[in-house]
């Protein structure tokens, strides 16, 4: 066992003495050591209950003969970090999480690991660490939040920022805003729609690093705690089989994850995280290949923000297993992959429900014949851009209009609030990429304000930044190369015509090449933004969004 290097032989006397200061007995010294990596903190609603989850995990580990050791990581709540400098730290926190877990577990040898994430960057950060360490492990998330209620209907995160847009044009009163504030987030868990956190928790299940139910069992339920206890027990079986991330996360496992991603309409942020996770294993997820899977995978689910279906509804009809079963029965899932269940996926799915026909549509009656995400190319994004096409109104899938330019997310939000954006325009928000932001803050506030003002059916938005999983509408992000690297987005001028054609996968600036070259000669470079500390180092080290915004080798 890996932990033997601090337990066996005379040279480990100092380590054994320290372990006994932790109350470890001689009997426990003979058992496997299992790390419990908990992202619990008191600042993130998705994390406030994770000590309960961790206690259940540790009980399961002990029941199965292991010795648990718990430690914590950091975590950022994107909703709380919104609209101030904190959002610049959200994506960069992913690298800090991966590095801190690596540091902790290289310095303190254990035999296996249970990861307890929830929320946007914590899940991929821990997945990156799991791949880097390549120890037998299992994931158990904190689970999704129950949907809130407002004026007799269910609501979630997407409704909140859109409410600010409605308020700005007089559609909502102060009392309605207070009611939203009090009743939209009823308790613990990751926000109730198919946003980034729930997308990544569902994909972790599909990849094979979590037990069935990881993505959809509600945070408040006893079933979530039982699943945590089972995860603690199962990690001992994973250890016995010596099944590691490098064995589990095969090319076919990534294929399965991408198929589910397209069928369920996941967040565009997954196009940053899955490539970054694959990179840790020496694999490359090519955007062209991802788009090929999108072309061949029908969208079977339309969860909030794209529709009026919530995570609790997906749970009620059988969760991710039911979706997997529908895809497997129609030849889009590799059934031979083996994850932490230690059984082929086709066996795990043998007793699963199929599509219910409503929350999960049947294969021959999809919402769309293509997947929820699409990869665009064109002179504005030769290295790629990403759009959540499953959340775009049909008539906005193609749109040509004049550019309305903003040099930052904050400027765009203020401009939209003041009523500057007119119907038919294409809002351009630039210098918000991984390097230019720095940190690639998400554009939820501008997109939600447009929706709140009723402009999402008339206005498109493009950016080298990223979007929240809450975002909806004709919003194209991750434009690469980004503005700070001299990408064409930096040369757009007010009023230039921009053409978006999502079915054709094109994003074009309709300006003569000769004029573009004239502009390039006089370009003064990106705006100077005063940053220090970690953000300054991050800007120097980070790669393009098309590579997953990973650190350069």
């Amino acid at each position: 066992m890996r932990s033997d290097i601090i337990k066996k032989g005379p040279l480990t006397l100092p380590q054994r003495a320290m372990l006994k200061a932790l109350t470890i007995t001689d009997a426990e010294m003979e058992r496997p050591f299992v790390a419990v990596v908990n992202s619990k903190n008191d600042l993130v609603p998705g994390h406030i209950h994770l000590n309960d989850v961790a206690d259940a995990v540790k009980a399961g580990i002990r029941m199965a003969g292991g010795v648990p050791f718990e430690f914590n990581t950091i975590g950022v709540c994107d909703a709380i970090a919104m609209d101030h400098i904190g959002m610049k730290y959200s994506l960069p926190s992913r690298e800090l999480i991966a590095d801190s877990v690596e540091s902790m577990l290289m310095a303190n040898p254990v035999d296996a690991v249970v990861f307890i994430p929830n929320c946007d960057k914590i899940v991929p950060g821990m997945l990156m660490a799991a791949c880097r360490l390549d120890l037998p492990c299992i994931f158990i998330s904190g689970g999704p939040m129950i949907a809130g209620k407002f004026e007799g209907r269910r609501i979630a995160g997407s409704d909140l920022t859109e409410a600010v847009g409605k308020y700005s044009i007089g559609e909502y009163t102060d009392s309605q805003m207070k009611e939203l504030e009090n009743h939209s987030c009823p308790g613990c868990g990751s926000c109730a729609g198919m946003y980034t956190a729930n997308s990544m928790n569902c994909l972790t299940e599909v990849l094979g690093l979590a037990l069935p139910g990881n993505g959809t069992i509600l945070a408040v339920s006893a079933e979530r705690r039982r699943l945590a206890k089972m995860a603690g027990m199962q990690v001992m079986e994973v250890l016995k089989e010596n099944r590691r991330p490098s064995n589990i996360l095969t090319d076919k496992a990534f294929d399965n994850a991408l198929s589910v991603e397209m069928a369920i309409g996941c967040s565009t942020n997954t196009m940053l995280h899955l490539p970054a996770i694959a990179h840790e294993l020496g694999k490359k997820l090519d955007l062209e290949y991802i788009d090929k899977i999108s072309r061949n995978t029908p969208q079977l689910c339309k969860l909030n923000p794209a529709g009026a279906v919530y995570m609790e509804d997906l749970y009620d009809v059988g969760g991710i297993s039911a979706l997997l079963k529908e895809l497997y029965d129609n030849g889009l899932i590799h059934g031979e992959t083996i994850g932490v269940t230690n059984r082929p996926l086709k066996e795990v799915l043998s007793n699963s429900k199929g599509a219910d026909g409503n929350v999960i549509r049947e294969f021959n009656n999809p919402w769309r014949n293509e997947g929820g995400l699409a990869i665009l190319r064109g002179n504005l994004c030769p290295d790629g851009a990403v759009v959540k096409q499953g959340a775009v109104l049909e008539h906005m899938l193609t749109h040509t209009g004049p550019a309305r330019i903003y040099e930052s997310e904050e400027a765009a939000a203020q401009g939209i609030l003041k009523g500057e954006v007119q119907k038919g325009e294409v809002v351009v928000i630039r210098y918000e990429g991984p390097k230019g932001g720095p940190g690639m803050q998400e554009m939820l506030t501008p997109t939600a304000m447009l929706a709140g003002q009723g402009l999402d059916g008339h206005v498109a938005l493009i950016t080298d930044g990223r979007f929240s999983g809450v975002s909806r509408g004709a919003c194209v992000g991750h434009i690469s190369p980004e503005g700070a690297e001299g990408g064409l987005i930096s040369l757009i001028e007010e009023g230039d015509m921009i053409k978006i054609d999502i079915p054709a996968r094109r994003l074009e600036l309709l300006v003569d090449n000769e004029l573009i070259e004239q502009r390039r000669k006089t370009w003064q470079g990106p705006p100077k933004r005063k940053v220090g500390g970690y953000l300054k180092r991050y800007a120097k080290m980070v790669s393009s969004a098309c590579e997953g915004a990973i650190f350069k080798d």
Side-chain angles (χ1 to χ4, degrees):
M1 291 190 293
R2 183 169 179 265
S3 63
D4 285 349
I5 63 176
I6 58 170
K7 296 190 299 187
K8 300 291 186 181
L11 292 179
T12 64
L13 171 63
Q15 288 94 331
R16 291 199 302 274
M18 289 293 177
L19 290 168
K20 288 195 170 180
L22 298 174
T23 74
I24 298 300
T25 66
D26 287 336
E28 288 174 311
M29 291 282 191
E30 301 300 319
R31 299 173 186 170
F33 283 4
V34 182
V36 177
V37 185
N38 187 359
S39 58
K40 194 271 177 186
N41 65 64
D42 292 338
L43 280 168
V44 182
H47 295 201
I48 56 173
H49 63 304
L50 293 188
N51 280 348
D52 290 346
V53 175
D55 286 344
V57 166
K58 290 188 286 187
I61 292 169
R62 292 189 184 100
M63 288 166 62
V67 183
F69 294 87
E70 182 182 353
F71 67 92
N72 290 81
T73 69
I74 63 168
V76 171
C77 175
D78 279 27
I80 294 174
M82 195 74 62
D83 298 326
H84 59 88
I85 194 173
M87 182 49 69
K88 293 180 182 291
Y89 284 86
S90 176
L91 181 59
S93 73
R94 184 188 73 180
E95 317 307 312
L96 289 176
I97 291 165
D99 289 350
S100 65
V101 174
E102 175 195 354
S103 300
M104 188 71 175
L105 294 183
M106 290 303 293
N108 301 282
V110 296
D111 304 300
V113 190
V114 179
F115 292 94
I116 309 176
N118 231 22
C119 301
D120 292 21
K121 311 308 169 298
I122 297 90
V123 188
M126 287 189 180
L127 284 165
M128 290 165 66
C131 294
R132 197 178 297 174
L133 292 160
D134 204 29
L135 291 170
C137 67
I138 198 168
F139 279 67
I140 169 67
S141 78
M145 186 185 292
I146 297 172
K149 291 185 179 179
F150 173 68
E151 297 183 344
R153 60 186 174 88
R154 291 184 300 169
I155 58 171
S158 60
D159 299 273
L160 301 180
T161 313
E162 289 179 22
V164 178
K166 293 180 184 293
Y167 183 78
S168 72
I169 59 174
E171 285 194 16
Y172 275 176
T173 64
D174 289 339
S175 62
Q176 285 176 305
M177 296 292 276
K178 178 60 70 173
E179 185 179 349
L180 276 165
E181 178 184 323
N182 288 334
H183 300 292
S184 57
C185 299
C188 63
S190 48
C191 297
M194 188 51 71
Y195 313 148
T196 306
N198 290 326
S199 295
M200 289 306 304
N201 283 330
C202 289
L203 295 182
T204 303
E205 182 179 333
V206 179
L207 285 167
L209 287 176
L211 293 173
N214 178 71
T216 55
I217 295 173
L218 295 173
V220 295
S221 67
E223 187 178 3
R224 172 61 58 180
R225 277 71 175 168
R226 295 197 300 272
L227 187 71
K229 195 176 291 186
M230 291 165 59
M233 298 173 68
Q234 187 62 24
V235 77
M236 302 302 294
E237 294 300 315
V238 175
L239 173 61
K240 189 181 299 181
E241 295 290 328
N242 195 29
R243 205 174 299 283
R244 299 167 183 263
S246 58
N247 309 131
I248 294 171
L249 300 182
T250 62
D251 292 345
K252 290 182 178 180
F254 278 105
D255 280 357
N256 288 348
L258 289 168
S259 294
V260 167
E261 176 174 47
M262 299 308 170
I264 206 169
C266 286
S267 165
T268 53
N269 284 317
T270 58
M271 290 294 93
L272 294 171
H273 302 321
L274 285 178
I277 294 160
H279 175 77
E280 296 290 346
L281 294 167
K283 300 177 182 290
K284 183 174 182 180
L285 286 186
D286 181 79
L287 291 181
E288 294 296 335
Y289 182 68
I290 292 172
D291 196 61
K292 180 181 177 182
I293 290 181
S294 176
R295 292 280 199 184
N296 294 323
T297 307
Q299 184 175 353
L300 303 182
C301 296
K302 205 167 187 178
L303 278 77
N304 174 273
V309 173
Y310 295 86
M311 294 303 296
E312 58 208 67
D313 302 316
L314 183 57
Y315 163 74
D316 286 341
V317 299
I320 293 301
S321 292
L323 178 66
L324 279 167
K325 182 71 159 53
E326 186 69 14
L327 293 173
Y328 175 71
D329 287 347
N330 287 279
L332 290 184
I333 292 294
H334 302 288
E336 65 271 28
T337 60
I338 299 176
V340 294
T341 62
N342 292 331
R343 292 189 294 152
L345 180 59
K346 60 186 176 184
E347 287 185 18
V348 176
L349 297 176
S350 60
N351 294 321
S352 298
K353 304 175 183 178
D356 70 306
N358 182 22
V359 175
I360 304 172
R361 286 196 170 186
E362 294 171 343
F363 191 82
N364 59 4
N365 182 36
W367 286 102
R368 298 176 51 82
N369 290 324
E370 294 183 353
L373 301 183
I375 307 300
L376 307 189
R377 300 280 184 177
N379 66 352
L380 267 172
C381 53
D383 293 340
V386 182
V387 62
K388 191 172 185 176
Q389 63 175 341
V392 179
L393 294 171
E394 195 70 25
H395 71 274
M396 288 297 293
L397 289 170
T398 57
H399 178 80
T400 301
R404 171 75 65 172
I405 299 174
Y406 296 101
E407 311 291 13
S408 69
E409 187 268 350
E410 294 87 351
Q414 288 300 314
I416 295 167
L417 199 59
K418 292 175 183 176
E420 293 176 355
V421 177
Q422 304 300 309
K423 289 183 178 180
E425 292 182 334
V426 177
V427 176
V428 178
I429 306 177
R430 61 191 178 193
Y431 303 121
E432 289 290 7
K435 183 178 292 294
M440 207 178 186
Q441 62 182 338
E442 64 188 28
M443 304 292 120
L444 172 58
T445 297
T447 60
M449 283 183 174
L450 290 173
Q453 292 180 1
L455 291 173
D456 58 317
H458 307 280
V459 171
L461 187 152
I462 68 171
T463 180
D464 52 6
R466 64 186 181 88
F467 296 111
S468 165
V470 177
S471 298
R472 62 184 175 93
C475 304
V476 181
H478 305 195
I479 288 176
S480 302
E482 63 174 287
E485 297 274 52
L488 185 57
I489 190 173
S490 67
L491 304 181
I492 302 173
E493 293 187 0
E494 196 89 2
D496 285 349
M497 297 301 288
I498 295 171
K499 181 179 181 180
I500 301 169
D501 189 339
I502 295 173
R505 302 297 201 263
R506 302 299 295 174
L507 176 61
E508 302 281 351
L509 175 64
L510 304 181
V511 172
D512 183 76
N513 287 335
E514 186 175 333
L515 181 55
I516 288 173
E517 288 310 309
Q518 290 176 11
R519 291 179 185 178
R520 191 174 298 282
K521 290 175 183 177
T522 59
W523 183 57
Q524 299 297 308
K528 305 298 181 185
R529 291 178 176 166
K530 187 177 180 180
V531 294
Y534 177 50
L535 283 184
K536 184 177 181 179
R537 299 196 304 276
Y538 181 85
K540 290 180 179 179
M541 299 169 68
V542 71
S543 70
S544 170
C546 68
E547 300 177 84
I550 57 175
F551 280 169
K552 297 172 184 175
D553 289 335

